[in-house]
Amino acid sequence: MTRIIADISVSLDGFVTGPDPDPDNGLGTGGEALHTWAFSDDPDDRLLLREAIARSGAVVLGRRLFDVVDGPHGWDDTTGYGAGEVGKPAFVVVTSTPPKSVRLTGLDWTFVTTGLPDAVAAARERAEAAAADRGKDLDVVLMGGGATIRAALESGLVDVPSLHLAPVVLGAGTPLFTGGARRSLVQRSVTATSTATHLTYDVLR
């Protein structure tokens, strides 16, 4: 079964970037601390990262995050989703206007201009097709940014929130939650490592 997983790192005070994020500094001031776990040598962190990539049949991201990862200081062969792993998922970008060009031409990009639900639906199709090819269940991963994940949660599109709680207080930045509809969750797993506390929930329907 293909699940819709919202996967994001967050500070203790609820921010997914530091202050003043921009295309040249997508995580804002001090925001690099949110992703320390993803570059850690801690074996539990490495296992969690490998398992997350392995289950990813397609990845959804917003246009602002796309502009960061496809920008001149963005992803390369050694950084980015799936870097160093065998195979990479399809990427689906929610945007009002597709970009005129793409720097990361080696990745599979789809640009959806008709809203987040359609982007998630397109990603589900890609994930289910990849699952059929590989003979195992694969998921859709919403990797951000914060506004995209917040909208998906508020719209009831998410099955599994997966939060990586970083031991940092940023004080300001992009909040993960700003109100919205009440959602009831069931805690499924908690993994504490040397760099973060990894939390997984199921959304009650």
Side-chain angles (χ1 to χ4, degrees):
M1 181 182 69
T2 296
R3 303 170 300 170
I4 310 300
I5 299 177
D7 190 292
I8 197 164
S9 299
V10 60
S11 68
L12 290 178
D13 50 347
F15 296 103
V16 297
T17 76
D20 304 317
D22 60 42
D24 292 327
N25 183 22
L27 290 173
T29 303
E32 297 83 1
L34 296 171
H35 290 182
T36 298
W37 73 271
F39 302 97
S40 165
D41 291 328
D42 186 302
D44 291 326
D45 285 327
R46 304 314 302 165
L47 178 61
L48 284 164
L49 189 62
R50 285 197 303 272
E51 290 178 342
I53 293 169
R55 73 171 183 248
S56 302
V59 175
V60 177
L61 61 158
R63 177 57 186 271
R64 288 184 182 177
L65 182 54
F66 167 79
D67 287 341
V68 171
V69 303
D70 195 57
H73 304 293
W75 290 352
D76 56 30
D77 291 338
T78 61
T79 61
Y81 203 100
E85 302 293 330
V86 177
K88 294 182 176 67
F91 292 90
V92 178
V93 180
V94 190
T95 181
S96 58
T97 306
K100 294 180 180 179
S101 63
V102 174
R103 179 178 65 85
L104 297 169
T105 56
L107 299 178
D108 180 358
W109 297 103
T110 298
F111 298 92
V112 175
T113 61
T114 52
L116 182 57
D118 286 346
V120 171
R124 184 189 292 275
E125 289 182 5
R126 301 299 299 274
E128 290 175 346
D133 288 342
R134 299 184 202 175
K136 67 175 185 178
D137 288 339
L138 295 173
D139 298 318
V140 172
V141 176
L142 307 180
M143 67 169 284
T148 299
I149 286 184
R150 186 186 319 125
L153 288 166
E154 292 175 354
S155 300
L157 297 172
V158 174
D159 299 315
V160 178
S162 178
L163 307 180
H164 311 284
L165 188 63
V168 60
V169 175
L170 292 173
T174 304
L176 180 56
F177 300 111
T178 58
R182 181 180 182 273
R183 296 288 175 191
S184 296
L185 308 176
V186 176
Q187 183 170 285
R188 291 304 183 197
S189 69
V190 179
T191 303
T193 72
S194 61
T195 59
T197 302
H198 306 278
L199 307 164
T200 303
Y201 303 90
D202 288 339
V203 176
L204 291 180
R205 302 299 185 187

mmCIF file of all heavy atoms in Angstrom, residues 135-178:
data_model
loop_
_atom_site.group_PDB
_atom_site.id
_atom_site.type_symbol
_atom_site.label_atom_id
_atom_site.label_comp_id
_atom_site.label_asym_id
_atom_site.label_seq_id
_atom_site.Cartn_x
_atom_site.Cartn_y
_atom_site.Cartn_z
ATOM 1 N N GLY A 135 8.374 -4.655 -7.305
ATOM 2 C CA GLY A 135 7.766 -5.742 -6.555
ATOM 3 C C GLY A 135 7.724 -5.525 -5.061
ATOM 4 O O GLY A 135 7.771 -6.476 -4.276
ATOM 5 N N LYS A 136 7.637 -4.264 -4.622
ATOM 6 C CA LYS A 136 7.519 -3.967 -3.195
ATOM 7 C C LYS A 136 6.775 -2.655 -3.019
ATOM 8 O O LYS A 136 6.706 -1.837 -3.937
ATOM 9 C CB LYS A 136 8.889 -3.881 -2.539
ATOM 10 C CG LYS A 136 9.737 -2.706 -2.996
ATOM 11 C CD LYS A 136 11.033 -2.636 -2.190
ATOM 12 C CE LYS A 136 11.851 -1.403 -2.541
ATOM 13 N NZ LYS A 136 13.077 -1.308 -1.719
ATOM 14 N N ASP A 137 6.181 -2.465 -1.836
ATOM 15 C CA ASP A 137 5.441 -1.250 -1.555
ATOM 16 C C ASP A 137 6.390 -0.054 -1.485
ATOM 17 O O ASP A 137 7.465 -0.133 -0.896
ATOM 18 C CB ASP A 137 4.693 -1.359 -0.228
ATOM 19 C CG ASP A 137 3.502 -2.300 -0.298
ATOM 20 O OD1 ASP A 137 3.018 -2.545 -1.428
ATOM 21 O OD2 ASP A 137 3.069 -2.792 0.751
ATOM 22 N N LEU A 138 5.967 1.051 -2.102
ATOM 23 C CA LEU A 138 6.713 2.303 -2.035
ATOM 24 C C LEU A 138 5.744 3.423 -1.672
ATOM 25 O O LEU A 138 4.551 3.345 -1.973
ATOM 26 C CB LEU A 138 7.392 2.599 -3.368
ATOM 27 C CG LEU A 138 8.483 1.628 -3.814
ATOM 28 C CD1 LEU A 138 8.935 1.951 -5.236
ATOM 29 C CD2 LEU A 138 9.675 1.661 -2.862
ATOM 30 N N ASP A 139 6.278 4.466 -1.058
ATOM 31 C CA ASP A 139 5.450 5.553 -0.559
ATOM 32 C C ASP A 139 5.698 6.853 -1.313
ATOM 33 O O ASP A 139 6.692 7.005 -2.022
ATOM 34 C CB ASP A 139 5.738 5.789 0.930
ATOM 35 C CG ASP A 139 5.393 4.583 1.783
ATOM 36 O OD1 ASP A 139 4.337 3.977 1.532
ATOM 37 O OD2 ASP A 139 6.171 4.260 2.690
ATOM 38 N N VAL A 140 4.790 7.803 -1.120
ATOM 39 C CA VAL A 140 4.982 9.185 -1.533
ATOM 40 C C VAL A 140 5.504 9.945 -0.325
ATOM 41 O O VAL A 140 4.929 9.873 0.767
ATOM 42 C CB VAL A 140 3.671 9.819 -2.020
ATOM 43 C CG1 VAL A 140 3.845 11.318 -2.256
ATOM 44 C CG2 VAL A 140 3.171 9.133 -3.280
ATOM 45 N N VAL A 141 6.606 10.667 -0.501
ATOM 46 C CA VAL A 141 7.200 11.433 0.592
ATOM 47 C C VAL A 141 7.053 12.916 0.285
ATOM 48 O O VAL A 141 7.511 13.394 -0.759
ATOM 49 C CB VAL A 141 8.678 11.066 0.790
ATOM 50 C CG1 VAL A 141 9.294 11.944 1.878
ATOM 51 C CG2 VAL A 141 8.821 9.599 1.150
ATOM 52 N N LEU A 142 6.408 13.635 1.186
ATOM 53 C CA LEU A 142 6.349 15.097 1.099
ATOM 54 C C LEU A 142 7.553 15.627 1.873
ATOM 55 O O LEU A 142 7.613 15.514 3.095
ATOM 56 C CB LEU A 142 5.066 15.639 1.716
ATOM 57 C CG LEU A 142 3.733 15.048 1.218
ATOM 58 C CD1 LEU A 142 2.571 15.696 1.936
ATOM 59 C CD2 LEU A 142 3.594 15.208 -0.259
ATOM 60 N N MET A 143 8.528 16.202 1.156
ATOM 61 C CA MET A 143 9.763 16.633 1.817
ATOM 62 C C MET A 143 9.780 18.119 2.167
ATOM 63 O O MET A 143 10.729 18.602 2.766
ATOM 64 C CB MET A 143 10.975 16.292 0.954
ATOM 65 C CG MET A 143 11.089 17.043 -0.344
ATOM 66 S SD MET A 143 12.705 16.804 -1.160
ATOM 67 C CE MET A 143 13.753 17.843 -0.155
ATOM 68 N N GLY A 144 8.736 18.837 1.783
ATOM 69 C CA GLY A 144 8.689 20.253 2.139
ATOM 70 C C GLY A 144 8.496 21.147 0.933
ATOM 71 O O GLY A 144 8.205 20.650 -0.153
ATOM 72 N N GLY A 145 8.638 22.422 1.144
ATOM 73 C CA GLY A 145 8.951 23.041 2.419
ATOM 74 C C GLY A 145 7.804 23.006 3.419
ATOM 75 O O GLY A 145 6.793 22.317 3.241
ATOM 76 N N GLY A 146 8.015 23.808 4.463
ATOM 77 C CA GLY A 146 7.065 23.825 5.556
ATOM 78 C C GLY A 146 5.650 24.161 5.138
ATOM 79 O O GLY A 146 4.694 23.539 5.617
ATOM 80 N N ALA A 147 5.479 25.126 4.243
ATOM 81 C CA ALA A 147 4.131 25.524 3.821
ATOM 82 C C ALA A 147 3.436 24.391 3.071
ATOM 83 O O ALA A 147 2.222 24.186 3.218
ATOM 84 C CB ALA A 147 4.202 26.770 2.945
ATOM 85 N N THR A 148 4.195 23.640 2.271
ATOM 86 C CA THR A 148 3.615 22.525 1.528
ATOM 87 C C THR A 148 3.152 21.429 2.473
ATOM 88 O O THR A 148 2.038 20.902 2.338
ATOM 89 C CB THR A 148 4.644 21.968 0.525
ATOM 90 O OG1 THR A 148 4.984 23.002 -0.400
ATOM 91 C CG2 THR A 148 4.091 20.776 -0.231
ATOM 92 N N ILE A 149 3.983 21.075 3.442
ATOM 93 C CA ILE A 149 3.604 20.041 4.397
ATOM 94 C C ILE A 149 2.456 20.510 5.273
ATOM 95 O O ILE A 149 1.521 19.756 5.557
ATOM 96 C CB ILE A 149 4.826 19.616 5.226
ATOM 97 C CG1 ILE A 149 5.753 18.767 4.339
ATOM 98 C CG2 ILE A 149 4.415 18.865 6.490
ATOM 99 C CD1 ILE A 149 6.951 18.204 5.038
ATOM 100 N N ARG A 150 2.490 21.770 5.697
ATOM 101 C CA ARG A 150 1.403 22.304 6.510
ATOM 102 C C ARG A 150 0.080 22.224 5.747
ATOM 103 O O ARG A 150 -0.948 21.790 6.286
ATOM 104 C CB ARG A 150 1.704 23.754 6.892
ATOM 105 C CG ARG A 150 0.705 24.359 7.872
ATOM 106 C CD ARG A 150 0.975 25.840 8.093
ATOM 107 N NE ARG A 150 2.400 26.122 8.189
ATOM 108 C CZ ARG A 150 3.035 27.005 7.431
ATOM 109 N NH1 ARG A 150 2.390 27.684 6.500
ATOM 110 N NH2 ARG A 150 4.330 27.206 7.586
ATOM 111 N N ALA A 151 0.088 22.611 4.468
ATOM 112 C CA ALA A 151 -1.127 22.564 3.657
ATOM 113 C C ALA A 151 -1.614 21.136 3.472
ATOM 114 O O ALA A 151 -2.826 20.857 3.493
ATOM 115 C CB ALA A 151 -0.876 23.216 2.303
ATOM 116 N N ALA A 152 -0.685 20.204 3.291
ATOM 117 C CA ALA A 152 -1.070 18.797 3.125
ATOM 118 C C ALA A 152 -1.699 18.244 4.396
ATOM 119 O O ALA A 152 -2.703 17.515 4.342
ATOM 120 C CB ALA A 152 0.150 17.974 2.723
ATOM 121 N N LEU A 153 -1.138 18.588 5.550
ATOM 122 C CA LEU A 153 -1.709 18.149 6.819
ATOM 123 C C LEU A 153 -3.096 18.742 7.026
ATOM 124 O O LEU A 153 -4.043 18.041 7.415
ATOM 125 C CB LEU A 153 -0.786 18.542 7.971
ATOM 126 C CG LEU A 153 0.520 17.753 8.092
ATOM 127 C CD1 LEU A 153 1.470 18.470 9.058
ATOM 128 C CD2 LEU A 153 0.253 16.339 8.579
ATOM 129 N N GLU A 154 -3.242 20.038 6.755
ATOM 130 C CA GLU A 154 -4.519 20.706 6.961
ATOM 131 C C GLU A 154 -5.594 20.205 5.991
ATOM 132 O O GLU A 154 -6.781 20.233 6.304
ATOM 133 C CB GLU A 154 -4.344 22.217 6.831
ATOM 134 C CG GLU A 154 -3.516 22.827 7.965
ATOM 135 C CD GLU A 154 -3.253 24.312 7.772
ATOM 136 O OE1 GLU A 154 -3.622 24.851 6.705
ATOM 137 O OE2 GLU A 154 -2.665 24.923 8.683
ATOM 138 N N SER A 155 -5.152 19.721 4.818
ATOM 139 C CA SER A 155 -6.098 19.225 3.819
ATOM 140 C C SER A 155 -6.410 17.745 3.990
ATOM 141 O O SER A 155 -7.191 17.188 3.215
ATOM 142 C CB SER A 155 -5.530 19.456 2.407
ATOM 143 O OG SER A 155 -5.307 20.830 2.168
ATOM 144 N N GLY A 156 -5.803 17.097 4.968
ATOM 145 C CA GLY A 156 -6.062 15.684 5.198
ATOM 146 C C GLY A 156 -5.414 14.769 4.185
ATOM 147 O O GLY A 156 -5.873 13.633 3.996
ATOM 148 N N LEU A 157 -4.337 15.227 3.545
ATOM 149 C CA LEU A 157 -3.674 14.423 2.522
ATOM 150 C C LEU A 157 -2.616 13.485 3.093
ATOM 151 O O LEU A 157 -2.156 12.572 2.397
ATOM 152 C CB LEU A 157 -3.007 15.334 1.488
ATOM 153 C CG LEU A 157 -3.936 16.234 0.670
ATOM 154 C CD1 LEU A 157 -3.115 17.212 -0.168
ATOM 155 C CD2 LEU A 157 -4.837 15.390 -0.221
ATOM 156 N N VAL A 158 -2.219 13.685 4.348
ATOM 157 C CA VAL A 158 -1.087 12.958 4.927
ATOM 158 C C VAL A 158 -1.578 11.756 5.719
ATOM 159 O O VAL A 158 -2.512 11.848 6.522
ATOM 160 C CB VAL A 158 -0.263 13.889 5.834
ATOM 161 C CG1 VAL A 158 0.836 13.121 6.552
ATOM 162 C CG2 VAL A 158 0.320 15.038 5.020
ATOM 163 N N ASP A 159 -0.917 10.623 5.505
ATOM 164 C CA ASP A 159 -1.179 9.422 6.307
ATOM 165 C C ASP A 159 -0.228 9.320 7.487
ATOM 166 O O ASP A 159 -0.621 8.898 8.579
ATOM 167 C CB ASP A 159 -1.011 8.157 5.451
ATOM 168 C CG ASP A 159 -1.966 8.104 4.274
ATOM 169 O OD1 ASP A 159 -3.160 8.399 4.471
ATOM 170 O OD2 ASP A 159 -1.513 7.770 3.161
ATOM 171 N N VAL A 160 1.037 9.679 7.264
ATOM 172 C CA VAL A 160 2.081 9.464 8.271
ATOM 173 C C VAL A 160 2.956 10.713 8.391
ATOM 174 O O VAL A 160 3.742 11.004 7.487
ATOM 175 C CB VAL A 160 2.978 8.263 7.905
ATOM 176 C CG1 VAL A 160 4.085 8.083 8.937
ATOM 177 C CG2 VAL A 160 2.157 6.997 7.763
ATOM 178 N N PRO A 161 2.847 11.494 9.484
ATOM 179 C CA PRO A 161 3.844 12.530 9.753
ATOM 180 C C PRO A 161 5.096 11.886 10.355
ATOM 181 O O PRO A 161 5.015 11.116 11.315
ATOM 182 C CB PRO A 161 3.156 13.445 10.776
ATOM 183 C CG PRO A 161 1.698 13.063 10.729
ATOM 184 C CD PRO A 161 1.680 11.616 10.373
ATOM 185 N N SER A 162 6.246 12.188 9.773
ATOM 186 C CA SER A 162 7.531 11.692 10.261
ATOM 187 C C SER A 162 8.400 12.902 10.559
ATOM 188 O O SER A 162 8.856 13.592 9.639
ATOM 189 C CB SER A 162 8.185 10.782 9.213
ATOM 190 O OG SER A 162 9.449 10.334 9.635
ATOM 191 N N LEU A 163 8.596 13.192 11.831
ATOM 192 C CA LEU A 163 9.279 14.410 12.256
ATOM 193 C C LEU A 163 10.620 14.073 12.873
ATOM 194 O O LEU A 163 10.735 13.138 13.672
ATOM 195 C CB LEU A 163 8.428 15.176 13.278
ATOM 196 C CG LEU A 163 6.988 15.499 12.870
ATOM 197 C CD1 LEU A 163 6.283 16.267 13.985
ATOM 198 C CD2 LEU A 163 6.950 16.279 11.574
ATOM 199 N N HIS A 164 11.621 14.844 12.499
ATOM 200 C CA HIS A 164 12.964 14.689 13.053
ATOM 201 C C HIS A 164 13.222 15.898 13.945
ATOM 202 O O HIS A 164 13.502 16.999 13.449
ATOM 203 C CB HIS A 164 13.990 14.584 11.926
ATOM 204 C CG HIS A 164 13.601 13.582 10.877
ATOM 205 N ND1 HIS A 164 13.713 12.228 11.070
ATOM 206 C CD2 HIS A 164 13.052 13.738 9.643
ATOM 207 C CE1 HIS A 164 13.273 11.585 10.000
ATOM 208 N NE2 HIS A 164 12.872 12.482 9.119
ATOM 209 N N LEU A 165 13.063 15.698 15.243
ATOM 210 C CA LEU A 165 13.113 16.798 16.201
ATOM 211 C C LEU A 165 14.568 17.080 16.568
ATOM 212 O O LEU A 165 15.231 16.271 17.214
ATOM 213 C CB LEU A 165 12.304 16.430 17.442
ATOM 214 C CG LEU A 165 12.090 17.518 18.480
ATOM 215 C CD1 LEU A 165 11.285 18.689 17.891
ATOM 216 C CD2 LEU A 165 11.373 16.951 19.707
ATOM 217 N N ALA A 166 15.055 18.237 16.111
ATOM 218 C CA ALA A 166 16.447 18.608 16.329
ATOM 219 C C ALA A 166 16.601 19.347 17.657
ATOM 220 O O ALA A 166 15.747 20.167 18.014
ATOM 221 C CB ALA A 166 16.944 19.495 15.185
ATOM 222 N N PRO A 167 17.681 19.108 18.396
ATOM 223 C CA PRO A 167 17.880 19.755 19.691
ATOM 224 C C PRO A 167 18.398 21.181 19.538
ATOM 225 O O PRO A 167 19.527 21.510 19.920
ATOM 226 C CB PRO A 167 18.899 18.841 20.382
ATOM 227 C CG PRO A 167 19.695 18.276 19.260
ATOM 228 C CD PRO A 167 18.738 18.112 18.113
ATOM 229 N N VAL A 168 17.562 22.040 18.953
ATOM 230 C CA VAL A 168 17.935 23.427 18.749
ATOM 231 C C VAL A 168 16.681 24.291 18.872
ATOM 232 O O VAL A 168 15.579 23.863 18.492
ATOM 233 C CB VAL A 168 18.587 23.633 17.357
ATOM 234 C CG1 VAL A 168 17.643 23.251 16.230
ATOM 235 C CG2 VAL A 168 19.079 25.061 17.184
ATOM 236 N N VAL A 169 16.832 25.468 19.443
ATOM 237 C CA VAL A 169 15.770 26.476 19.502
ATOM 238 C C VAL A 169 16.185 27.607 18.571
ATOM 239 O O VAL A 169 17.176 28.293 18.821
ATOM 240 C CB VAL A 169 15.559 26.985 20.939
ATOM 241 C CG1 VAL A 169 14.531 28.114 20.954
ATOM 242 C CG2 VAL A 169 15.120 25.848 21.852
ATOM 243 N N LEU A 170 15.429 27.797 17.483
ATOM 244 C CA LEU A 170 15.800 28.784 16.468
ATOM 245 C C LEU A 170 15.232 30.174 16.753
ATOM 246 O O LEU A 170 15.753 31.168 16.266
ATOM 247 C CB LEU A 170 15.344 28.304 15.091
ATOM 248 C CG LEU A 170 16.085 27.075 14.564
ATOM 249 C CD1 LEU A 170 15.441 26.582 13.275
ATOM 250 C CD2 LEU A 170 17.554 27.374 14.343
ATOM 251 N N GLY A 171 14.154 30.241 17.500
ATOM 252 C CA GLY A 171 13.598 31.539 17.868
ATOM 253 C C GLY A 171 12.707 32.173 16.823
ATOM 254 O O GLY A 171 11.809 32.947 17.148
ATOM 255 N N ALA A 172 12.937 31.878 15.564
ATOM 256 C CA ALA A 172 12.152 32.430 14.455
ATOM 257 C C ALA A 172 12.467 31.605 13.215
ATOM 258 O O ALA A 172 13.386 30.791 13.209
ATOM 259 C CB ALA A 172 12.470 33.904 14.224
ATOM 260 N N GLY A 173 11.700 31.845 12.158
ATOM 261 C CA GLY A 173 11.901 31.118 10.911
ATOM 262 C C GLY A 173 10.575 30.740 10.298
ATOM 263 O O GLY A 173 9.577 31.447 10.466
ATOM 264 N N THR A 174 10.556 29.613 9.596
ATOM 265 C CA THR A 174 9.332 29.124 8.965
ATOM 266 C C THR A 174 8.675 28.122 9.897
ATOM 267 O O THR A 174 9.236 27.048 10.157
ATOM 268 C CB THR A 174 9.658 28.429 7.628
ATOM 269 O OG1 THR A 174 10.371 29.328 6.784
ATOM 270 C CG2 THR A 174 8.378 27.979 6.933
ATOM 271 N N PRO A 175 7.470 28.431 10.426
ATOM 272 C CA PRO A 175 6.835 27.501 11.362
ATOM 273 C C PRO A 175 6.216 26.316 10.630
ATOM 274 O O PRO A 175 5.712 26.449 9.518
ATOM 275 C CB PRO A 175 5.750 28.359 12.020
ATOM 276 C CG PRO A 175 5.404 29.383 10.979
ATOM 277 C CD PRO A 175 6.688 29.664 10.241
ATOM 278 N N LEU A 176 6.271 25.156 11.272
ATOM 279 C CA LEU A 176 5.589 24.000 10.693
ATOM 280 C C LEU A 176 4.087 24.112 10.871
ATOM 281 O O LEU A 176 3.331 23.795 9.962
ATOM 282 C CB LEU A 176 6.112 22.711 11.338
ATOM 283 C CG LEU A 176 5.493 21.408 10.820
ATOM 284 C CD1 LEU A 176 5.649 21.277 9.306
ATOM 285 C CD2 LEU A 176 6.091 20.215 11.532
ATOM 286 N N PHE A 177 3.656 24.581 12.033
ATOM 287 C CA PHE A 177 2.227 24.695 12.320
ATOM 288 C C PHE A 177 1.870 26.145 12.624
ATOM 289 O O PHE A 177 2.593 26.832 13.346
ATOM 290 C CB PHE A 177 1.845 23.817 13.514
ATOM 291 C CG PHE A 177 2.137 22.361 13.303
ATOM 292 C CD1 PHE A 177 3.143 21.728 14.026
ATOM 293 C CD2 PHE A 177 1.423 21.620 12.382
ATOM 294 C CE1 PHE A 177 3.425 20.386 13.833
ATOM 295 C CE2 PHE A 177 1.687 20.276 12.181
ATOM 296 C CZ PHE A 177 2.692 19.658 12.908
ATOM 297 N N THR A 178 0.745 26.582 12.079
ATOM 298 C CA THR A 178 0.264 27.946 12.339
ATOM 299 C C THR A 178 -1.220 27.949 12.704
ATOM 300 O O THR A 178 -1.918 28.928 12.501
ATOM 301 C CB THR A 178 0.477 28.841 11.106
ATOM 302 O OG1 THR A 178 -0.210 28.263 9.980
ATOM 303 C CG2 THR A 178 1.945 28.997 10.779
#
